[in-house]
Coordinates of all heavy atoms in Angstrom, one line a residue:
A1 N -46.9 204.6 52.4 CA -48.1 204.6 51.6 C -48.2 203.3 50.8 O -49.2 202.7 50.6 CB -48.3 205.8 50.8
L2 N -47.0 202.9 50.2 CA -47.0 201.7 49.4 C -47.3 200.5 50.3 O -48.0 199.6 49.9 CB -45.6 201.5 48.8 CG -45.3 202.3 47.6 CD1 -43.9 202.0 47.1 CD2 -46.3 201.9 46.5
Y3 N -46.8 200.4 51.5 CA -47.0 199.3 52.4 C -48.5 199.2 52.8 O -49.0 198.1 53.1 CB -46.2 199.4 53.7 CG -44.7 199.1 53.4 CD1 -43.8 200.1 53.7 CD2 -44.3 197.9 53.0 CE1 -42.5 199.9 53.5 CE2 -42.9 197.7 52.8 CZ -42.0 198.7 53.0 OH -40.7 198.4 52.8
S4 N -49.2 200.3 52.8 CA -50.6 200.3 53.2 C -51.6 199.9 52.1 O -52.8 199.7 52.3 CB -51.0 201.7 53.7 OG -51.1 202.6 52.6
L5 N -51.1 199.7 50.9 CA -52.0 199.3 49.8 C -52.4 197.8 49.9 O -51.6 196.9 50.2 CB -51.2 199.4 48.4 CG -50.9 200.8 48.0 CD1 -50.1 200.8 46.7 CD2 -52.1 201.7 47.8
K6 N -53.7 197.7 49.8 CA -54.3 196.3 50.0 C -53.9 195.4 49.0 O -54.0 195.6 47.8 CB -55.9 196.5 50.0 CG -56.7 195.2 50.2 CD -58.1 195.5 50.1 CE -58.8 194.6 49.1 NZ -60.2 194.9 48.9
G7 N -53.3 194.2 49.4 CA -53.0 193.2 48.5 C -51.8 193.4 47.5 O -51.7 192.8 46.5
I8 N -50.9 194.4 47.9 CA -49.8 194.7 47.1 C -48.8 193.5 47.0 O -48.5 192.9 48.1 CB -49.1 196.0 47.5 CG1 -48.1 196.4 46.4 CG2 -48.5 195.9 48.8 CD1 -47.6 197.9 46.5
T9 N -48.4 193.1 45.9 CA -47.4 192.0 45.7 C -46.0 192.6 45.7 O -45.9 193.8 45.5 CB -47.7 191.3 44.4 OG1 -47.5 192.2 43.3 CG2 -49.1 190.7 44.4
S10 N -45.1 191.8 45.9 CA -43.7 192.3 45.9 C -43.3 192.8 44.5 O -42.6 193.8 44.4 CB -42.7 191.2 46.3 OG -42.8 190.1 45.5
E11 N -43.8 192.2 43.5 CA -43.6 192.6 42.1 C -44.1 194.0 41.9 O -43.4 194.9 41.3 CB -44.2 191.6 41.1 CG -44.0 191.9 39.7 CD -44.7 190.9 38.8 OE1 -44.8 189.8 39.1 OE2 -45.1 191.4 37.7
E12 N -45.4 194.2 42.3 CA -46.0 195.5 42.1 C -45.2 196.6 43.0 O -45.0 197.7 42.5 CB -47.4 195.5 42.5 CG -48.2 196.8 42.4 CD -49.6 196.8 42.9 OE1 -50.1 195.7 43.4 OE2 -50.2 197.8 42.9
F13 N -44.9 196.2 44.2 CA -44.1 197.1 45.1 C -42.8 197.6 44.4 O -42.6 198.8 44.4 CB -43.8 196.4 46.4 CG -43.2 197.3 47.4 CD1 -44.0 198.1 48.3 CD2 -41.8 197.4 47.5 CE1 -43.4 198.9 49.2 CE2 -41.2 198.2 48.5 CZ -42.0 199.0 49.3
K14 N -42.1 196.7 43.9 CA -40.8 197.0 43.2 C -41.0 197.9 42.0 O -40.3 198.9 41.7 CB -40.1 195.8 42.8 CG -39.5 195.0 43.9 CD -38.9 193.7 43.5 CE -38.5 192.8 44.7 NZ -38.0 191.5 44.2
Y15 N -42.1 197.6 41.2 CA -42.4 198.3 40.0 C -42.8 199.8 40.4 O -42.3 200.7 39.7 CB -43.5 197.7 39.2 CG -43.7 198.4 37.9 CD1 -42.8 198.1 36.8 CD2 -44.7 199.3 37.7 CE1 -43.0 198.8 35.6 CE2 -44.9 199.9 36.5 CZ -44.0 199.7 35.4 OH -44.2 200.3 34.3
V16 N -43.6 200.0 41.4 CA -44.0 201.3 41.8 C -42.8 202.1 42.3 O -42.7 203.3 42.0 CB -45.2 201.2 42.8 CG1 -45.5 202.6 43.3 CG2 -46.4 200.7 42.1
Q17 N -42.0 201.4 43.1 CA -40.8 202.1 43.6 C -39.9 202.6 42.4 O -39.4 203.7 42.5 CB -39.9 201.1 44.5 CG -40.3 201.2 45.9 CD -39.3 200.4 46.7 OE1 -38.8 199.3 46.3 NE2 -39.0 200.8 47.9
Q18 N -39.7 201.7 41.4 CA -38.9 202.1 40.3 C -39.6 203.3 39.5 O -38.9 204.2 39.0 CB -38.7 200.9 39.3 CG -37.8 199.9 39.8 CD -37.8 198.6 38.9 OE1 -38.6 198.5 38.0 NE2 -36.9 197.7 39.2
T19 N -40.9 203.2 39.4 CA -41.6 204.3 38.7 C -41.5 205.6 39.4 O -41.3 206.6 38.8 CB -43.1 203.9 38.6 OG1 -43.2 202.6 37.9 CG2 -43.9 204.9 37.8
M20 N -41.5 205.6 40.7 CA -41.4 206.8 41.5 C -40.0 207.3 41.7 O -39.8 208.5 42.1 CB -42.0 206.6 42.9 CG -43.5 206.3 42.9 SD -44.2 206.0 44.5 CE -44.0 207.5 45.3
H21 N -39.0 206.5 41.3 CA -37.6 207.0 41.4 C -37.4 208.3 40.7 O -37.7 208.4 39.5 CB -36.7 205.9 40.9 CG -35.2 206.2 41.1 ND1 -34.6 206.2 42.3 CD2 -34.3 206.6 40.2 CE1 -33.4 206.6 42.2 NE2 -33.1 206.8 40.9
G22 N -36.8 209.2 41.3 CA -36.5 210.5 40.7 C -37.6 211.5 40.8 O -37.4 212.6 40.3
M23 N -38.7 211.2 41.4 CA -39.8 212.1 41.5 C -39.5 213.0 42.8 O -38.9 212.5 43.7 CB -41.1 211.4 41.8 CG -41.7 210.8 40.6 SD -43.4 210.1 41.0 CE -43.8 209.3 39.4
T24 N -40.0 214.2 42.7 CA -39.9 215.1 43.9 C -40.9 214.6 44.9 O -41.7 213.8 44.6 CB -40.2 216.6 43.5 OG1 -41.5 216.6 43.1 CG2 -39.3 217.1 42.4
D25 N -40.8 215.1 46.1 CA -41.7 214.7 47.2 C -43.2 215.0 46.8 O -44.1 214.2 47.0 CB -41.4 215.3 48.5 CG -40.2 214.7 49.1 OD1 -39.8 213.6 48.8 OD2 -39.6 215.4 50.0
Q26 N -43.4 216.2 46.2 CA -44.7 216.6 45.7 C -45.2 215.7 44.6 O -46.4 215.3 44.7 CB -44.7 218.1 45.3 CG -46.0 218.6 44.9 CD -46.0 220.0 44.4 OE1 -44.9 220.6 44.2 NE2 -47.2 220.6 44.1
Q27 N -44.4 215.4 43.7 CA -44.8 214.5 42.6 C -45.1 213.1 43.2 O -46.1 212.5 42.7 CB -43.7 214.4 41.5 CG -43.5 215.6 40.7 CD -42.3 215.5 39.8 OE1 -41.3 214.8 40.1 NE2 -42.4 216.1 38.6
G28 N -44.3 212.6 44.1 CA -44.5 211.3 44.7 C -45.9 211.3 45.5 O -46.6 210.3 45.4
E29 N -46.2 212.4 46.2 CA -47.5 212.5 46.9 C -48.6 212.4 45.9 O -49.6 211.7 46.1 CB -47.5 213.7 47.7 CG -46.7 213.6 49.0 CD -46.7 214.9 49.8 OE1 -47.6 215.7 49.6 OE2 -45.7 215.2 50.5
Q30 N -48.5 213.2 44.8 CA -49.6 213.2 43.8 C -49.7 211.9 43.2 O -50.8 211.4 42.9 CB -49.2 214.3 42.7 CG -49.4 215.7 43.1 CD -49.0 216.7 42.0 OE1 -48.3 216.3 41.1 NE2 -49.5 217.9 42.1
F31 N -48.6 211.2 42.8 CA -48.6 209.9 42.2 C -49.4 208.9 43.2 O -50.2 208.2 42.7 CB -47.2 209.4 42.0 CG -47.1 208.0 41.5 CD1 -47.2 207.7 40.1 CD2 -47.0 206.9 42.4 CE1 -47.2 206.4 39.6 CE2 -47.0 205.6 41.9 CZ -47.1 205.4 40.5

């Protein structure tokens, strides 16, 4: 889902990955 975001930069990708770290699958989907 992150890869499909229009115009995502590598910086944003890394930040969102870090933000989602530790979330359950359900929380990740909601996020």
Side-chain angles (χ1 to χ4, degrees):
L2 281 177
Y3 288 117
S4 69
L5 293 175
K6 180 180 128 188
I8 190 165
T9 62
S10 59
E11 180 182 328
E12 180 185 0
F13 185 87
K14 289 175 188 175
Y15 186 78
V16 172
Q17 269 189 324
Q18 289 173 348
T19 303
M20 292 177 67
H21 183 72
M23 288 185 183
T24 64
D25 287 339
Q26 182 182 7
Q27 289 174 329
E29 287 176 23
Q30 288 178 337
F31 176 87

